[in-house]
Amino acid sequence: MKKTEFSLKNIIFLQIVIIIYTISGIAAKLAAAEPLFSWKFCMFYGVEIVILGVYALLWQQVIKRFELSAAYANRAMVLVWSLLWAVLIFHDRITWKNVCGTLLVIAGTVIINLDMGVEEK
């Protein structure tokens, strides 16, 4: 089965889908901060389930456009977006270990994507 090319439009779409997935983690963390089965807990948990449902539908579109190995390699970008949300929303501190690990993941993602681009030509 032929997949569509690695275009900027497809890569942006993939990143948007990954961002949507990371937003479910934000909802989960907000739910965890509330008392079990409280109104806010149920609301955040419900939001998380809806976001994961939307993500599942969009992920199906991603794997139509990309080879599965490339799509999963890019899914590692969850770490980058999660670090960003941790700083912006939860005011967490980022350590050098976080930065080094994230850079290692980005490097691996770039290498896999470059390899996929060469194979498709």
Side-chain angles (χ1 to χ4, degrees), residues 54-74:
V54 169
Y55 165 75
L57 293 172
L58 291 173
W59 186 252
Q60 297 303 310
Q61 297 305 308
V62 166
I63 58 178
K64 278 177 149 179
R65 298 175 188 213
F66 293 96
E67 294 292 330
L68 190 58
S69 58
Y72 270 102
N74 278 280

Side-chain angles (χ1 to χ4, degrees), residues 12-111:
I12 290 171
F13 176 70
L14 175 59
Q15 289 305 307
I16 289 170
V17 172
I18 291 169
I19 289 169
I20 289 169
Y21 177 72
T22 62
I23 292 171
S24 74
I26 294 169
K29 183 163 177 147
L30 292 171
E34 301 298 329
L36 188 62
F37 300 118
S38 68
W39 182 84
K40 283 187 174 182
F41 172 85
C42 292
M43 180 193 67
F44 288 130
Y45 190 67
V47 167
E48 179 185 11
I49 290 171
V50 169
I51 291 170
L52 287 172
V54 169
Y55 165 75
L57 293 172
L58 291 173
W59 186 252
Q60 297 303 310
Q61 297 305 308
V62 166
I63 58 178
K64 278 177 149 179
R65 298 175 188 213
F66 293 96
E67 294 292 330
L68 190 58
S69 58
Y72 270 102
N74 278 280
R75 199 162 170 249
M77 293 299 289
V78 164
L79 295 174
V80 174
W81 294 111
S82 296
L83 280 178
L84 181 65
W85 304 146
V87 170
L88 295 178
I89 297 171
F90 300 108
H91 308 291
D92 289 348
R93 266 190 39 170
I94 304 300
T95 65
W96 283 106
K97 288 180 183 180
N98 297 131
V99 172
C100 290
T102 302
L103 290 174
L104 187 61
V105 168
I106 291 171
T109 302
V110 167
I111 290 168

